[in-house]
Amino acid sequence: MAVQGGAAGYSPAPRVRFEAIGEAWNLFKADAGTWVVTSLIALIVLGVVIAAVNLVNNLFTEAAQISSPAMTPAALLAAFGSMIIVQIISSLITTVAWVVVTAGIYRMALRRMRGEQVSAGDLFNIGDVFPQVLVAGLLASVIVTIGYLLCIIPGIIAGGLLMFTVPLIVDRQMDGVEAISTSFRILSADLLNAVLFYAVLSFIVFIGLLACGVGILVTFPLYPLGVAIVYRDFFPDQVAAQPAQQW
């Protein structure tokens, strides 16, 4: 981690700054058209994937219900097991779609902060890190889901501590497990702020859903933009910040 200014070349360890949310908003406004179109494409992709997954699940469930009266106990058990497998596969497919679009937005945000131009077409430009992102996304999803099952709060804590996972992969090409452990280790030093920052950003995205669904086009990219800005604070040697006035 780069040493910042201060007496004798020392500066305190970086902290999770809530001002990053305002900076994310400025970054969004500077390229509002790009981010809105990117959000629209990402949400369409997610919507199509989720709709297809739900359709398959419903067809499978209806088929099982129709045939269940004539089934033996063994057949019923097999059908139930098949439904569980279908649900797991469906969740994996949805997670893959989510990981792809969020990783694309993270990479766009990091490039933009370097002063590079980005476009909505860059959303899927993650081919070089797709395997690592996929592994990390699946593992992080399992960790956060287990946390939410344990009375919600552990899930929020896990989500906050894993915020840097995808940025570390798209920026430093870390493997999935290393990115998860690094994010957990770095953000554990500022646990309370990391968790609160994660909760606030997640709430902002949720608010966008309430605004007739249209607000999500604005709030959806604010989460990765905000996290990318905080990531820049912790790893300034990796991302050269673009001057704020250009944002």
Side-chain angles (χ1 to χ4, degrees):
M1 187 177 300
V3 177
Q4 302 173 24
Y10 169 79
S11 68
R15 310 286 290 182
V16 176
R17 300 181 301 110
F18 286 85
E19 294 87 352
I21 297 176
E23 294 174 23
W25 173 242
N26 291 334
L27 188 59
F28 172 86
K29 289 191 299 181
D31 292 294
T34 296
W35 296 118
V36 167
V37 173
T38 299
S39 295
L40 182 61
I41 295 173
L43 292 170
I44 289 174
V45 170
L46 290 173
V48 169
V49 171
I50 292 172
V53 165
N54 287 338
L55 177 62
V56 172
N57 284 340
N58 291 337
L59 291 175
F60 189 87
T61 301
E62 291 175 4
Q65 290 174 344
I66 292 173
S67 57
S68 59
M71 283 186 177
T72 63
L76 284 172
L77 183 61
F80 178 76
S82 299
M83 290 178 64
I84 295 297
I85 293 174
V86 169
Q87 288 291 339
I88 293 174
I89 294 175
S90 299
S91 297
L92 291 176
I93 293 173
T94 303
T95 300
V96 169
W98 173 261
V99 165
V100 167
V101 298
T102 53
I105 295 178
Y106 274 120
R107 172 163 278 181
M108 289 173 63
L110 293 170
R111 287 182 56 200
R112 188 68 188 91
M113 285 187 288
R114 292 190 181 99
E116 301 177 27
Q117 294 299 315
V118 296
S119 68
D122 297 323
L123 178 63
F124 303 106
N125 185 23
I126 61 164
D128 58 321
V129 293
F130 177 74
Q132 299 94 312
V133 166
L134 179 59
V135 170
L138 293 175
L139 289 176
S141 178
V142 170
I143 293 170
V144 173
T145 299
I146 292 174
Y148 275 105
L149 293 176
L150 298 174
C151 299
I152 299 178
I153 293 179
I156 298 176
I157 294 174
L161 293 177
L162 296 177
M163 285 191 299
F164 288 169
T165 299
V166 176
L168 284 167
I169 295 173
V170 299
D171 188 48
R172 290 190 162 194
Q173 286 74 51
M174 286 188 180
D175 64 62
V177 175
E178 183 185 5
I180 287 176
S181 62
T182 301
S183 178
F184 187 92
R185 174 175 53 83
I186 293 295
L187 289 172
S188 291
D190 197 16
L191 174 62
L192 180 59
N193 283 333
V195 172
L196 290 177
F197 185 80
Y198 167 79
V200 170
L201 276 181
S202 299
F203 181 72
I204 290 173
V205 175
F206 175 72
I207 290 297
L209 284 172
L210 298 181
C212 300
V214 178
I216 192 66
L217 294 176
V218 174
T219 60
F220 180 74
L222 285 181
Y223 179 91
L225 286 172
V227 173
I229 289 171
V230 174
Y231 170 84
R232 177 201 62 195
D233 293 341
F234 281 75
F235 300 94
D237 53 325
Q238 295 297 309
V239 182
Q242 184 180 2
Q245 62 269 24
Q246 295 184 29
W247 292 0

